Amino acid sequence: MEFNKARVSLSLAFVLLAGILFSGLSAAMPATTDVVVAKSHDSDDDSDDDSDVSKDALPHFNSVSQAVAYIASHKPQKDKVWTVFINEGIYRERVVINVDNVHFVGQSQETTTIVFNRYAGQQVAENSQEKWGTRRTATVEILGDNITLENITITNDFDYPGNEVKAKDDPTRLSGTQAVALKTDVNSDRTYLKNVALWGYQDTLYLKGDRALIEGGTIAGHIDFIFGEGTAFFESVSIVSRTRYSGGDSEGLTGYITAPSTHLQRPYGLTFNNCRLEREHGVPDESVALGRPWHPTTTFSDGRYANPYAVGKTAFINTYMAGHIIQKRWTTMGGTTPSGTKRPFNPHTEARFSEYQSHGEGAPKAVSSPAINSHFLNDKNAAFYTKEAVLRGWVPNNIPNDIK
């Protein structure tokens, strides 16, 4: 199956009449809403005050970051979960969620977008030698605990395709093109993405935190676009491989869906259940690997080298796979040795990769080697990959009781 993204117009305008503005918000706004984010509709207002915190209405802000800052200014209350409603619009900003217990609800995935374009090789400031690096590129970065995002599109729109088609000797061609859409930081836990679309190219979703539940929605990219050390359960998500224009790597691969760096002590890494692996028009047959093992370069007492304890884990359970998935399933990834040389890490012996009851054109047609055969789970082993087990019993509070 080929997947086509409906293009979001950057000229999205708001034409709601002032008299029906609040009723328009109320139609989609949860009853528990504490804060509203909406684009300003008063073009004649030259005030620097971007908020309305009058006593007669809910606090209103023009950006998501302002709403986060407002919540951060309040002393945490026991059992209080803030609800932030984000009206339709394109919010060009980088959002760092450094608070706990917040539920962000967009008016709809199709009409509410948060977008930014930072990339790894970009200078932190003009004339600075410091670069952002992958870890600081996310359009939305979650540092807090118990954060929910619902009905929102999050995009890193760094122009990877435009840069990719430039000649290698073109002085304007950029390096460090990793550009994250969403990141969960190492101290975050209980992240819930419900009907969220994440769009990027290389490194779209960076999972460093503990438990994350991703239900519905879309994740799109091409190189290692779901990666990291975090524990996550993906339920009924469309995983979309995007088109490359450089012809792929030396093996002819145009992409890798996952690049886990799960610590050896963690029993679960990235678990996909009832998901769909789809592709954009132009992604060739048998050109995308299910994953490759990422051993991040880490500082130890005897030097910096690929972390031997990062034995990545990915499992695909009952997942539809279109014809772009390669029959050998998994592939290698390079890393630095203690002596400073480079070597490939073997996906069969230096990672924990598996699948069970894959179906579709990209499902395995024949087992070509004992190494590949070792990744297929039997019924007994597949039974361990439940949502309850992966998330250690955590269930988001905003899932209705009848579907928990």
Side-chain angles (χ1 to χ4, degrees):
M1 175 182 289
E2 292 181 352
F3 187 97
N4 291 310
K5 177 188 177 186
R7 293 190 177 275
V8 179
S9 172
L10 295 179
S11 61
L12 181 66
F14 297 97
V15 294
L16 297 176
L17 296 175
I20 64 171
L21 173 61
F22 187 77
S23 63
L25 288 172
S26 300
M29 191 164 58
T32 56
T33 297
D34 300 291
V35 180
V36 174
V37 177
K39 291 289 190 180
S40 174
H41 298 280
D42 187 356
S43 59
D44 296 327
D45 183 8
D46 294 328
S47 171
D48 292 332
D49 185 3
D50 291 325
S51 66
D52 178 2
V53 289
S54 65
K55 296 180 180 179
D56 299 326
L58 293 173
H60 280 60
F61 297 92
N62 289 341
S63 75
V64 182
S65 296
Q66 290 165 359
V68 171
Y70 175 76
I71 294 170
S73 71
H74 288 69
K75 184 177 180 180
Q77 304 174 44
K78 183 180 179 181
D79 301 325
K80 166 67 175 176
V81 177
W82 291 79
T83 300
V84 177
F85 176 74
I86 309 173
N87 192 24
E88 64 179 356
I90 295 175
Y91 299 85
R92 179 162 286 279
E93 57 177 313
R94 173 170 144 80
V95 180
V96 178
I97 303 173
N98 56 358
V99 292
D100 300 333
N101 305 318
V102 186
H103 183 184
F104 297 87
V105 185
Q107 182 159 313
S108 74
Q109 183 193 111
E110 293 74 23
T111 62
T112 303
T113 298
I114 304 172
V115 60
F116 207 65
N117 62 352
R118 184 180 289 178
Y119 64 96
Q122 185 178 12
Q123 293 174 312
V124 170
E126 188 176 357
N127 299 322
S128 171
Q129 297 300 310
E130 183 183 359
K131 307 292 180 65
W132 287 116
T134 304
R135 64 186 178 86
R136 295 188 292 178
T137 62
T139 298
V140 173
E141 183 171 358
I142 298 173
L143 279 62
D145 178 45
N146 192 28
I147 301 298
T148 294
L149 298 170
E150 181 177 357
N151 299 338
I152 299 171
T153 291
I154 300 170
T155 300
N156 190 315
D157 67 348
F158 165 69
D159 187 13
Y160 190 105
N163 187 66
E164 185 180 27
V165 298
K166 292 181 179 180
K168 292 185 177 180
D169 59 354
D170 186 332
T172 66
R173 183 183 171 104
L174 303 172
S175 61
T177 54
Q178 299 88 345
V180 178
L182 185 139
K183 174 190 172 187
T184 62
D185 195 63
V186 66
N187 293 318
S188 67
D189 187 23
R190 299 187 297 162
T191 299
Y192 181 31
L193 307 183
K194 181 179 180 183
N195 191 34
V196 170
L198 303 176
W199 287 88
Y201 292 95
Q202 183 174 0
D203 295 356
T204 303
L205 173 59
Y206 190 0
L207 294 163
K208 282 184 66 67
D210 199 354
R211 296 165 295 182
L213 173 61
I214 298 94
E215 290 189 321
T218 300
I219 304 171
H222 47 45
I223 299 175
D224 306 328
F225 64 99
I226 303 174
F227 72 111
E229 66 198 69
T231 298
F233 192 89
F234 301 78
E235 179 74 49
S236 302
V237 181
S238 292
I239 312 295
V240 182
S241 292
R242 306 194 74 177
T243 306
R244 292 282 301 281
Y245 299 97
S246 63
D249 65 12
S250 59
E251 297 183 77
L253 297 180
T254 65
Y256 320 89
I257 293 174
T258 67
S261 57
T262 323
H263 193 281
L264 184 59
Q265 292 181 338
R266 284 190 170 184
Y268 298 100
L270 310 177
T271 301
F272 299 82
N273 186 56
N274 294 321
C275 293
R276 296 182 65 85
L277 306 188
E278 302 173 318
R279 56 177 162 173
E280 285 185 335
H281 179 75
V283 177
D285 288 345
E286 295 194 35
S287 67
V288 174
L290 292 174
R292 56 181 182 168
W294 179 35
H295 292 253
T297 301
T298 306
T299 300
F300 297 96
S301 60
D302 58 344
R304 278 180 55 79
Y305 48 88
N307 190 342
Y309 306 107
V311 185
K313 187 164 188 177
T314 295
F316 289 96
I317 311 294
N318 300 320
T319 293
Y320 167 84
M321 302 181 181
H324 60 304
I325 302 302
I326 60 175
Q327 283 298 300
K328 74 174 188 177
R329 324 308 286 160
W330 314 92
T331 191
T332 61
M333 189 173 190
T336 303
T337 68
S339 66
T341 60
K342 297 283 187 179
R343 77 168 182 90
F345 284 91
N346 191 313
H348 309 304
T349 60
E350 295 175 292
R352 294 170 287 171
F353 291 150
S354 57
E355 61 180 303
Y356 175 74
Q357 291 192 349
S358 302
H359 53 282
E361 294 179 359
K365 297 178 176 63
V367 176
S368 58
S369 73
I372 294 176
N373 187 52
S374 69
H375 297 288
F376 298 116
L377 300 172
N378 58 31
D379 293 349
K380 181 178 179 180
N381 290 334
F384 287 97
Y385 291 83
T386 66
K387 185 185 301 184
E388 293 73 19
V390 173
L391 301 178
R392 306 196 304 277
W394 164 61
V395 178
N397 292 331
N398 42 24
I399 296 180
N401 288 326
D402 59 348
I403 63 172
K404 285 184 180 178

